[in-house]
Amino acid sequence: RALWWAGPLTVVAAVLLVFATRAIAVPLFGLNGEFPPLTYQGLAFFTVIGVGVGVLVFAGFALWSSRPIAIYRKVALVVLALSMLPDAWLPGNVPGATWPIAIVLMVAHVAAWLPTVFILTNPALVGRRT
């Protein structure tokens, strides 16, 4: 039942943290804020989809696993690492993509991952099963 409110809270928190990451990084490093994946619309789209899928995956683990929190934390870490591979591919392959942009996008992945893992796997929110 906690996922009915923890799921949306997770998505909103992730989007806000990703937006904060962009708001700080673009002017600080002089990045092209019009680069499509770095726009607020692009970041919102990918964050909502990615974190939304993460919430659904956690819900599946919560239903069918005896240790959903421990398993989800491990899976989320692997998915985080894999999610950065497309960003690492951007420089040299996509016009306008630079390494600073790719690194900021990778940091945005971490910014989305943090509230996702913290909120969904917080025993006080989702129960005591570890």
Side-chain angles (χ1 to χ4, degrees), residues 22-51:
R22 186 220 186 265
I24 293 167
V26 168
L28 183 65
F29 299 114
L31 302 177
N32 176 7
E34 297 303 313
F35 183 69
L38 200 53
T39 63
Y40 284 108
Q41 297 87 346
L43 290 169
F45 175 79
F46 288 111
T47 303
V48 168
I49 297 298
V51 174

Side-chain angles (χ1 to χ4, degrees), residues 73-130:
R73 285 179 177 161
K74 291 174 187 168
V75 169
L77 189 59
V78 170
V79 170
L80 172 64
L82 293 174
S83 75
M84 293 185 186
L85 293 176
D87 296 329
W89 177 83
L90 289 173
N93 293 301
V94 175
T98 63
W99 275 108
I101 286 174
I103 291 168
V104 167
L105 290 171
M106 290 179 196
V107 171
H109 285 259
V110 175
W113 174 82
L114 282 170
T116 303
V117 171
F118 177 77
I119 293 169
L120 295 179
T121 66
N122 186 328
L125 299 176
V126 296
R128 300 244 175 242
R129 295 187 333 176
T130 58

Side-chain angles (χ1 to χ4, degrees), residues 55-82:
V55 169
L56 294 175
V57 168
F58 182 77
F61 286 162
L63 286 173
W64 295 301
S65 174
S66 61
R67 299 188 55 206
I69 291 173
I71 293 170
Y72 186 78
R73 285 179 177 161
K74 291 174 187 168
V75 169
L77 189 59
V78 170
V79 170
L80 172 64
L82 293 174

